[in-house]
Amino acid sequence: MMSLTHEQCIKACLECMEACNVCFDACLQETDVKMMADCIRLDRECADICAFAAQAMQSNSPFAKQICQLCADICEACGNECKKHDHDHCQKCAEVCYKCAEECRKMAS
Amino acid sequence: MMSLTHEQCIKACLECMEACNVCFDACLQETDVKMMADCIRLDRECADICAFAAQAMQSNSPFAKQICQLCADICEACGNECKKHDHDHCQKCAEVCYKCAEECRKMAS
Amino acid sequence: MMSLTHEQCIKACLECMEACNVCFDACLQETDVKMMADCIRLDRECADICAFAAQAMQSNSPFAKQICQLCADICEACGNECKKHDHDHCQKCAEVCYKCAEECRKMAS
Amino acid sequence: MMSLTHEQCIKACLECMEACNVCFDACLQETDVKMMADCIRLDRECADICAFAAQAMQSNSPFAKQICQLCADICEACGNECKKHDHDHCQKCAEVCYKCAEECRKMAS
């Protein structure tokens, strides 16, 4: 049985993975792609670590906490970058990243 | 904007990823692990392709359909193996795998 | 024991994963990032499927052939996109992608 | 241009990924699979973080060091588990895991 903390953190990671993938795709279609380069890079990394963290929690990994700690750091960096850009997908992604960072820090503690 | 087919298939993939990871963990804790060897192997593969398919759909990949086709085949094989075992986690996983296979075939068509 | 075909295909996938990741990073640092958008997208997808195919072959997956078939298609598409661009990292990546597509087709047959 | 530390660490991660995947498959075929349950679990996790670390270094991720730090911890745990078992694939995997942990710590420092 998964704890509520686990369930909420998995949910946050899966929502963050989706927001980052949607933002990755949308950034690549913007007029000024150059300005979005760091966002594209961090979206990719953040989506991948969120998937990895979700799988670790779901499979009861002995490293779930450490993985969530790293995930929190990457989510925060991705959120900080996204927040700089006015596009809706970036603002939405920033919000979801910060939420995920918060849940991951709870899991890690 | 994602279509309803996309949304339903992403949802099915994420539920299947979770069921497979939970089943993977539970199989490793069973008394007779040997009997679960193929289930463990397929759970891993199925969780990974489901994550990959979800990310492909979320990021608007030109290969989303082909990836979902492969995902359907792996989900079906995983479901067939899980169905052989009476454990609740296996029966539940089989059901979720078949549902995901069905949604992935809709996406792929 | 792995066959020679397996070994050569794993090697090709790992080289392709590296070339695509290097190209992904280099594209994001180019002056005209917009022109590289499809290349960035395909580099990511290709690196990920190459990693997945290598892991499938290494772990003796019953789906190794089907995964390599899909990997071949993605490598070819990535190679075709990279080939359009004069940057050294793109030309190098195209060459490695075509080589990997060829080895993956051998595995899949 | 990648530094020598990067190159050696990527090489170690890719060798560790392979050894863990081979060990995962071999453990699932052993007579006493139950005894190998922790090894199977850690092999999977270790192969996945090694792939993630290699991709992070290859794509010049700003989180490469932190990812390598986590990778080192998982490699060490996997090596410690593998070392307990006499099978050739486990002993070989332990050795490669320790080597990878060492290279990852160099990268992280």
Side-chain angles (χ1 to χ4, degrees):
Chain A
M1 270 277 287
M2 276 185 222
S3 72
L4 187 60
T5 308
H6 268 73
E7 272 180 33
Q8 287 178 335
C9 191
I10 291 168
K11 189 166 173 284
C13 284
L14 295 180
E15 284 172 3
C16 192
M17 179 179 91
E18 174 147 331
C20 287
N21 279 320
V22 167
C23 190
F24 175 87
D25 171 49
C27 285
L28 285 172
Q29 298 182 49
E30 289 294 342
T31 315
D32 188 350
V33 184
K34 186 156 189 61
M35 202 175 65
M36 312 314 294
D38 286 344
C39 200
I40 291 166
R41 183 189 290 278
L42 283 163
D43 280 337
R44 182 206 178 161
E45 196 123 41
C46 195
D48 286 343
I49 191 72
C50 283
F52 192 58
Q55 294 218 56
M57 287 181 278
Q58 289 167 349
S59 62
N60 196 21
S61 159
F63 287 95
K65 286 189 177 205
Q66 277 181 257
I67 294 167
C68 284
Q69 180 61 58
L70 174 61
C71 191
D73 291 347
I74 296 179
C75 286
E76 193 177 312
C78 189
N80 289 342
E81 177 58 32
C82 283
K83 207 160 193 281
K84 294 180 198 166
H85 307 286
D86 286 337
H87 308 302
D88 281 352
H89 54 84
C90 289
Q91 290 296 313
K92 161 80 177 161
C93 192
E95 191 188 315
V96 178
C97 284
Y98 288 143
K99 173 70 181 159
C100 188
E102 190 189 321
E103 293 295 336
C104 282
R105 292 204 202 287
K106 277 190 219 162
M107 255 301 295
S109 70
Chain B
M1 269 276 287
M2 277 187 221
S3 71
L4 188 60
T5 308
H6 268 73
E7 272 180 33
Q8 287 178 335
C9 191
I10 291 167
K11 190 166 173 284
C13 284
L14 295 180
E15 284 171 6
C16 192
M17 179 179 91
E18 175 147 331
C20 287
N21 280 319
V22 167
C23 189
F24 175 87
D25 172 49
C27 284
L28 285 171
Q29 299 183 48
E30 289 294 341
T31 315
D32 188 351
V33 184
K34 186 157 189 61
M35 201 174 66
M36 311 314 294
D38 286 345
C39 201
I40 292 165
R41 183 190 289 279
L42 283 163
D43 280 338
R44 181 209 178 159
E45 195 123 40
C46 195
D48 286 343
I49 190 73
C50 283
F52 192 58
Q55 294 217 56
M57 287 181 279
Q58 289 167 349
S59 62
N60 195 22
S61 158
F63 288 94
K65 287 191 175 203
Q66 278 181 255
I67 294 167
C68 284
Q69 181 60 58
L70 175 61
C71 190
D73 291 346
I74 296 179
C75 286
E76 193 177 312
C78 189
N80 289 342
E81 177 59 33
C82 283
K83 208 159 192 281
K84 295 180 195 166
H85 307 286
D86 284 339
H87 310 300
D88 281 354
H89 54 85
C90 289
Q91 290 296 312
K92 161 80 177 162
C93 192
E95 190 188 314
V96 178
C97 284
Y98 289 142
K99 173 71 181 160
C100 188
E102 190 189 320
E103 293 295 336
C104 282
R105 292 203 202 287
K106 275 189 221 163
M107 255 302 294
S109 68
Chain C
M1 270 274 290
M2 277 185 221
S3 71
L4 187 60
T5 308
H6 268 73
E7 273 181 33
Q8 287 178 335
C9 191
I10 292 167
K11 189 167 173 283
C13 285
L14 296 180
E15 284 172 3
C16 191
M17 179 179 92
E18 174 147 332
C20 287
N21 279 319
V22 167
C23 189
F24 175 87
D25 171 50
C27 285
L28 285 171
Q29 299 183 48
E30 289 293 341
T31 315
D32 188 351
V33 183
K34 185 153 188 64
M35 201 174 66
M36 312 314 295
D38 288 343
C39 200
I40 291 165
R41 182 188 291 278
L42 284 163
D43 280 338
R44 182 208 178 162
E45 194 122 42
C46 194
D48 286 343
I49 190 71
C50 283
F52 193 57
Q55 294 218 56
M57 287 182 278
Q58 289 167 349
S59 62
N60 196 21
S61 157
F63 287 96
K65 286 191 177 203
Q66 277 182 256
I67 294 166
C68 285
Q69 180 61 57
L70 175 60
C71 190
D73 291 347
I74 296 178
C75 286
E76 195 177 310
C78 189
N80 289 342
E81 177 59 32
C82 283
K83 208 160 192 282
K84 295 180 197 164
H85 307 285
D86 285 339
H87 308 302
D88 281 354
H89 54 85
C90 288
Q91 290 296 313
K92 161 80 177 163
C93 192
E95 191 189 315
V96 177
C97 284
Y98 288 143
K99 172 71 181 161
C100 188
E102 189 190 321
E103 293 295 335
C104 282
R105 293 205 201 285
K106 277 189 218 163
M107 255 302 294
S109 69
Chain D
M1 270 277 288
M2 277 185 220
S3 72
L4 187 59
T5 308
H6 268 72
E7 273 180 31
Q8 287 178 336
C9 191
I10 291 168
K11 190 166 173 283
C13 285
L14 295 180
E15 284 171 3
C16 192
M17 178 179 91
E18 174 147 331
C20 287
N21 279 319
V22 167
C23 189
F24 175 87
D25 171 49
C27 285
L28 285 172
Q29 299 183 48
E30 288 294 341
T31 315
D32 189 350
V33 183
K34 186 155 189 62
M35 201 175 66
M36 312 314 295
D38 287 345
C39 201
I40 291 165
R41 183 189 289 278
L42 284 163
D43 279 338
R44 182 206 179 162
E45 194 123 42
C46 194
D48 286 343
I49 190 72
C50 283
F52 192 59
Q55 294 218 57
M57 287 182 278
Q58 289 167 351
S59 61
N60 195 22
S61 158
F63 287 95
K65 285 190 176 203
Q66 277 181 257
I67 294 167
C68 284
Q69 181 60 57
L70 174 61
C71 191
D73 291 347
I74 297 179
C75 286
E76 194 177 311
C78 189
N80 288 343
E81 177 58 31
C82 283
K83 208 159 191 281
K84 296 179 195 165
H85 307 286
D86 285 338
H87 308 302
D88 281 353
H89 54 84
C90 289
Q91 290 296 312
K92 161 79 177 165
C93 192
E95 190 187 315
V96 177
C97 283
Y98 288 142
K99 172 69 182 162
C100 188
E102 189 189 322
E103 293 294 338
C104 282
R105 293 205 201 286
K106 275 189 221 165
M107 254 303 295
S109 69

